Amino acid sequence: MSNSTLPTLPASDRPEIAARLRDALLGASFTADGLLDLLGAPAYAALARSETVPALRATRGDTPLETLVRLFLLQQPVPHARVADVLPVAACLESGWLTSVGGDEVAATVDVRPYGGPEGEDWFIVSDLGCAVGGAGGIGSRDEGVVLGVGGASTTLAGITVRTPVAAALDLGTGSGIQALHAARHATRVTATDLNPRALHITALTLALSGAPAADLREGSLFEPVRDDETYDLIVSNPPFVISPGARLTYRDGGMGGDDLCRSLVQEAGERLREGGFAQFLANWQHVEGEDWQDRLRSWVPRGCDAWIVQREVQDVTQYAELWLRDAGDHRGDTTAYEALYDAWLDEFEARKVKAVGFGWITLRRTGSEVPSITVEEWPHPVEQPLGDTVRVHFDRVDYLRAHDDAALLAAHFRLAPEVIQEQVGLPGAEDPEHVVLRQNRGMRRATKVDTVGAGFAGVCDGTLSAGRILDAIAQLVGEDPVLLRDRTPAQIRLLVEQGFLEPAG
């Protein structure tokens, strides 16, 4: 891999200059909130789509914030004198954050993007010029060593990650450092790896400019830089998961055939996790003719781990090829070359008997249980981020259900989870509803159909009566044998607990 055509990066060993630059950026309100106030929602959203014209129109003035937006986000040359009023310009030029152009102007050497942390922190994500929010926008086709900024995948992974305090966290394929930055909030020690040395350099800049502790940065592919005796409480990765006919672009193509990279990553994570630790990944997986995709993913889960795998989207092979050809900007070049690349993708899929590609989240938790819990599901519906607590509690419920047989469930007390509502569906004027639906307004926003007994049971659960006592009362009301009701209902209770509609009380 050659980075020879890419600009020289700012020095990563000058923390005092990064601190001065950070203070100046904050002093000018160059923050996520400040940008939204200046640009307005439409122009701010357009930036996330890599469209700069609305933001250019909104920054025609010469306020300090407008100057910084044009310099670092829109990557326009700005008069030296104007920048000197806002930034320590001599120090920024000397350390490489800025470069002189056209005599009396300066330009940024990297994209610096304000990013709001989960507790309102003002962070800054550094990336290569033209590679910030919205993806590569075709720049990847010019040089494979580029380091992208924050995209939808990055923020999705950050949102689903379990955020409990831990001793050691590992970010595999760190890129611009966003996952390492998040981990630094709740991990005593953060290790970040990347095959691209430029990415490690940029991660160091992201952490320094965000006021975060430095991470242990290691060059190498995935787990290669990790010693055999090292284990972690948290492992996260937004890997180069694209299933393509060649490793053309470092930021997205893992260099292994099919979905082998994602499979290897998941399988190797188990032995790197400490007891109770989580490993969380974004991944693509193949839907192969004659094979159940859920079985394929179950086979990836390493021994000694529980797993929760959620498929969020499926694309047929033509949609998938077009998505990533456009991502690299190949559609803008020579038509014959584009068609040849497209054909190569379809050849690859045909050879592997792949009919579609799934995208989603994979979470592992190291457990001492002899019988692991592996949940593989499809959930393409809207969810409420952040989901880290939802993920953590899912595994707490797995432990609870594993420890409670049906008799123990009937002796237990439950509460209806907060913000669960009941909907009755039926024809207008009908005496009884056709079915009853329980719906969550938070987290995964699940909905599940229940029968009359299940609806009545859930509605009464306030933690005061045991499940068995509630069922006995329902049996009396509906004229059913209480023994039979106790026998057939635990499966429904177990499902409602598993999906988060009911919570154990005490």
Side-chain angles (χ1 to χ4, degrees), residues 286-301:
Q286 297 172 155
H287 286 230
V288 179
E289 282 179 39
E291 177 185 82
D292 185 318
W293 68 270
Q294 295 188 338
D295 289 344
R296 182 182 191 84
L297 288 172
R298 285 190 186 94
S299 75
W300 291 8
V301 178

Side-chain angles (χ1 to χ4, degrees), residues 24 27-28 62-65 67-68 78-90 98 106:
D62 58 1
T63 66
L65 181 53
T67 298
L68 293 177
V78 177
H80 184 289
R82 189 188 297 179
V83 178
D85 290 337
V86 186
L87 299 179
V89 69
L98 300 176
V106 297

